Amino acid sequence: MGTSGLARGQAVPKADESAMFKIEDSGRERRFELAWDELAEKSPDGRERAVRMAGAAAHHKLGDLRKKARDRETATGVKQDIVLYEAGHPHDESCRRVLTRKVLVKAQAGFDATAAAVRIEALAIEKPAYAPGHVIFTVKGPGDALTAAETLRALRGIDSVEPLLARLQSKRLIPNDPLFSYNAANAGYQWHLRNTGQSPGTAGIDANVTAVWDSYTGSGIRIGIVDDGLEVAHPDLAPNVDTANDHDWNDATADDPTGNAASDTHGTACAGVAGAQGNNGAGTSGAAPNAMLVGLRLIAGSITDADEAEALSWRNNIIQLYSNSWGPSDDGRDLRDAGPLVKQALANGVTSGRGGKGSIWLWAAGNGGDVQDNSNYDGYANSIHAIAIAAVNDTGSRSNYSEPGANVVVCAPSNDSVGSHRGITTTTTNGGYTYSFGGTSSATPLAAGVVALLLERNPNLGWRDVKEILLRSATKVDPSNSDWMNNGAGYAVNHQYGGGLINAQAAVNLAAGWTNLGPQSTHQIAQTGLAVPIPDNSPTGVTRTFSVPGTVLMRVEHVTLHIAATHGRRGDLGVTLTSPSGTPSRVFVSHAGDTNLDLDWTFSSVRHWGENAAGNWTLSITDLVAGTAGTLTEASMILYGTNTAPPTSAPAINSPLAATGNVGSPFNYQITASDNPQTFSASPLPPGLVLSTSGLIQGTPATTGSFSVNLGASNILGTGNATLGITIGPRLPTPPVITSSLAAAGVMNAPFNYQITATHSPVSYAASGLPAGL
C-alpha cells in the first residue's frame, strides 16, 4: 500500500508539504493523513473532545501543527494531541485516530531499550508482560511519536516500530426505545431480544441480536409480512415500511395492506417483532430494526390457493424472505395440506427467487401442542421449502402450545399459555403497543428478523444454506429434556426445539465464511402395492427397510416419507423413520383426537441433516390402541441432499493434529479427510468426549491432561490413519450474571437495602454512582 518504497511510519512527500503516513491499525497497515484543522484535547479525567482550529488551512507542515498543539497545551494546561484520518475516508468518529505519545517497538534479543530511550528522550519505558519482546516508549510532546519512530527505525536490533494510535470503540448498541429494556414502570419489555432475567425469566433466553446490531441491522433486506394486514402509518413501523411493493388480496385497496384496526391486529404485531424501527426513541425495536417491511395482506378474508401462491411469490426478485404466522387449524384432528398452486409456487421460488438463490419462507410450527397437534401434520410448515419455527417461553422451556415435529428447524422466544411467563411486547394497530403478543405467530417474525441480519451479512446464501446455518448455530435449551440427541453428523436435534434456540450472533458469525452447499440431488425408494397388516395394540408393529447402497454418495439434508395405510382410526398409529446413523424421526404420533379414517400423507424431517445417505433406513409403524386394525399399502422415501465425489484412493486425514480444551467447557473437533470418507474412528478419547458417525469429536471434557488419540477415516478403497494430540486444561471460570432486580425504590431518610445477587459465585462486587447516603 502507499507510495512505492515507503517505509512504514515514514511520511509521504507531497507538493504542499503535508504529510501522509503508513501505520499499523486494526490488524493491517493503513495510510493516514494529518488533520490540519483539528486537535484532540484530553482533560485530566480522561474525557476527550475534538478541538477545531481557526486558520488551520495555513498549516502545511507537521512542525507547524506540533507547535500549534504545544502552544495550546501551554495556554490551557490541557493535553493536546494530533489527529489522523485514514486517507480517502470521511473525517468521522469511526475513522478518527489520535496520535498518542507512545511508540511500540518489537525488539530482538539483546536490544538496549535504555540506550534507545536516551536517544529519543523518552519519558518512560514499558516492557509488557503480556507481549514478550515488545517495548513501549512514552515520549514528551504532541507529534513526537512520529519523529521518535523514525529515529528508532535506524537502530539495530529492532524488527518493527509503530506509533500507537488511539480510537474510540463503538459501544454495543442498546436501543433507546423505551420498551426495549426492562423498566418496572412499563407494562412490558422486549425480553425476547435481550433477556436480563427480570420479572420473571432467565437471563440469556433471547435471540442474541444485540451484539449483531453493531454491524448488521437488516439494511437492504425486505421482509414480506404475509398476514391480515400491516398498519403502514404506525410511527414505529412507517420508517421501515415499503409501500411501493405491498399488496392486499382481501379488499379493493390492493395497494394498501392496512386492515381493520379493530380486528386485523395480528400482522401489525408480527411486523413489529420482525422490523419495528429501533433506536428511534419510540416504542419498540424489531429484530432487524432497519429492514424494510412489505405488507402482504392475505388472511383477513377468504382466499384461494391462487391467492396464497401469488402472495408467497410476490415480487420475489426483491423480497428476500416471507414471514408466515398462519396455517390450518391447530386442532389435533386433521391433516391439512397446501394446495397444488402453493406447492408449485414454493418449488419454483427456491429456484427463481432472489436471483436464483431461492426465496426463504419462515413458517409458524403451530399452536396446537396442548391438544397433541404436530407440525408435521401442517402441509405448509411441513414443506421442505419452509423453515418451521417453534416457540419457547422466557425460561427456555417449550411454550405449552408449541407443536413438536421432525420438521422443526429452530425455536424462538415467545409467550406461554401456562404459568407466569411474559408475553411479547410489540406494535399493534392505532399506533399502539401490546405487551401480550405470543404464539409461534410471534416466534416466526422474530426468526425472520434474524434471517434478515444473516442475509445482510452474506446475501449470497442459498435457501438451504440459511436453513443449515440456523440448525448448526442454534443454542441447546432445556438441556435436561430427554429428547435431545446428536444425529449422525453431530448436530443436536430435538422434536420440540429443532436444533435449539435461534442465535443471531452465532448464525451471523457462521455465515461470514460460509461456502454454499452444492446443487440439490435426490434419491428415491418406493414400496408400492403393499398389503402389510399393522398389528393392533402392539408396540412391535411392522417394520420396513429402505436400503440405500454404498454407491449413493450423498450428504443428507431433507427427508420426506409418504405413508398410505387403511385404518379405522388413524390417530392410533405411530410412524417413525430411523436413519442408518440411528437418528429417529417421529413423524406421526399416536393422538386420541384424530378419529379419521386412513392415513395418506407426506411427512418431512430435518433431523438427519448432514448424515450419510448410504445404509438401511428403517420404517416402523405401530398401533398402540386396541380395537381397530390397519394395513400398510405404500411407503416411499425421498432423500434430498448434496452429492459427494466418489473416492479415488484411501482417505488421507487432513484436519489439524493438535487440539485443546478445558474441563467443563464444550469441545469440538472435526476429523476431515480426502477422498470422501464414509466412516471414522477415534480412540482412546478423553473422558467426556464421544465420536459421531460424521467424524465430529465433541462433548465436555471431564479430566485434565494430554491425550494421544488414534484417528481413522475409511472409504471403500481403504483407511487412512493419524494421531491427534488433545490437551485438556483446567476448568475456566464462568463470568457472573447479575440476577437481582435492576430496579429499586426507597424513601429519603429511611433505611434502604438492596442485595446484588449473581450466578457463578462472584468474589467481588462493584456499584458506582450511588445516591448520597448509600
Side-chain angles (χ1 to χ4, degrees), residues 511-526:
W514 187 259
T515 300
N516 278 19
L517 298 167
Q520 187 185 64
S521 60
T522 61
H523 182 79
Q524 182 172 1
I525 300 176

Side-chain angles (χ1 to χ4, degrees), residues 111-164:
F111 173 68
D112 190 342
T114 303
V118 172
R119 185 76 175 269
I120 63 172
E121 299 181 354
L123 300 178
I125 304 172
E126 180 185 357
K127 297 181 179 180
Y130 55 81
H134 290 76
V135 182
I136 299 174
F137 295 96
T138 301
V139 295
K140 184 178 181 180
D144 287 354
L146 291 173
T147 54
E150 187 174 350
T151 301
L152 288 168
R153 285 191 190 93
L155 302 181
R156 293 182 178 179
I158 290 178
D159 290 332
S160 65
V161 179
E162 295 291 350
L164 288 181

Side-chain angles (χ1 to χ4, degrees), residues 221-549:
I221 304 300
R222 284 183 174 85
I223 304 174
I225 305 296
V226 186
D227 216 286
D228 65 359
L230 194 164
E231 188 173 277
V232 298
H234 194 293
D236 223 3
L237 299 176
N240 290 349
V241 169
D242 176 2
T243 55
N245 292 295
D246 51 23
H247 196 74
D248 186 340
W249 283 265
N250 295 137
D251 60 27
T253 61
D255 293 330
D256 183 4
T258 303
N260 184 309
S263 58
D264 300 331
T265 62
H266 193 263
T268 297
C270 290
V273 173
Q277 186 171 73
N279 209 37
N280 62 349
T284 63
S285 174
N290 286 324
M292 289 175 278
L293 301 171
V294 184
L296 302 176
R297 188 169 184 248
L298 178 72
I299 62 171
S302 298
I303 46 175
T304 65
D305 182 28
D307 294 330
E308 293 180 7
E310 186 177 27
L312 295 172
S313 306
W314 187 257
R315 308 277 166 93
N316 68 3
N317 59 323
I318 60 172
I319 298 176
Q320 289 94 339
L321 64 150
Y322 302 79
S323 179
N324 298 273
S325 295
W326 54 276
S329 176
D330 298 320
D331 56 17
R333 299 192 300 268
D334 295 304
L335 300 173
R336 301 282 182 95
D337 208 353
L341 293 177
V342 165
K343 289 181 178 180
Q344 189 63 52
L346 297 179
N348 287 343
V350 295
T351 59
S352 64
R354 288 196 305 134
K357 294 182 288 291
S359 297
I360 297 165
W361 296 275
L362 286 297
W363 222 288
N367 299 334
D370 54 347
V371 292
Q372 298 181 300
D373 207 348
N374 188 290
S375 190
N376 276 125
Y377 312 161
D378 175 340
Y380 298 85
N382 182 54
S383 168
I384 68 167
H385 302 122
I387 300 177
I389 307 296
V392 295
N393 60 33
D394 54 10
T395 62
S397 297
R398 180 183 73 89
S399 300
N400 182 60
Y401 51 77
S402 182
E403 294 179 18
N407 62 315
V408 171
V409 177
V410 289
C411 55
S414 191
N415 71 336
D416 203 329
S417 58
V418 175
S420 296
H421 298 283
R422 278 192 176 272
I424 300 300
T425 297
T426 183
T427 51
T428 191
T429 52
N430 293 317
Y433 298 91
T434 177
Y435 313 104
S436 57
F437 193 51
T440 53
S441 285
S442 183
T444 301
L446 176 54
V450 171
V451 172
L453 303 176
L454 199 63
L455 293 178
E456 183 187 3
R457 177 62 185 89
N458 186 346
N460 294 318
L461 296 172
W463 67 278
R464 292 152 47 229
D465 301 294
V466 170
K467 191 175 286 192
E468 177 162 341
I469 288 172
L470 292 180
L471 272 168
R472 289 179 58 177
S473 61
T475 301
K476 182 184 287 189
V477 287
D478 190 12
S480 62
N481 185 283
S482 61
D483 193 59
W484 279 112
M485 69 172 295
N486 291 330
N487 74 2
Y491 299 162
V493 290
N494 187 296
H495 288 89
Q496 298 179 31
Y497 303 117
L501 177 63
I502 197 167
N503 186 328
Q505 184 174 21
V508 167
N509 289 344
L510 188 57
W514 187 259
T515 300
N516 278 19
L517 298 167
Q520 187 185 64
S521 60
T522 61
H523 182 79
Q524 182 172 1
I525 300 176
Q527 298 182 13
T528 59
L530 304 177
V532 180
I534 302 172
D536 187 31
N537 193 27
S538 169
T540 303
V542 62
T543 61
R544 304 291 295 181
T545 300
F546 301 104
S547 295
V548 179

Side-chain angles (χ1 to χ4, degrees), residues 97-120:
R97 300 292 183 267
V98 176
L99 179 65
T100 71
R101 303 182 189 190
K102 294 181 181 292
V103 182
L104 173 65
V105 169
K106 183 178 181 183
Q108 300 170 6
F111 173 68
D112 190 342
T114 303
V118 172
R119 185 76 175 269
I120 63 172

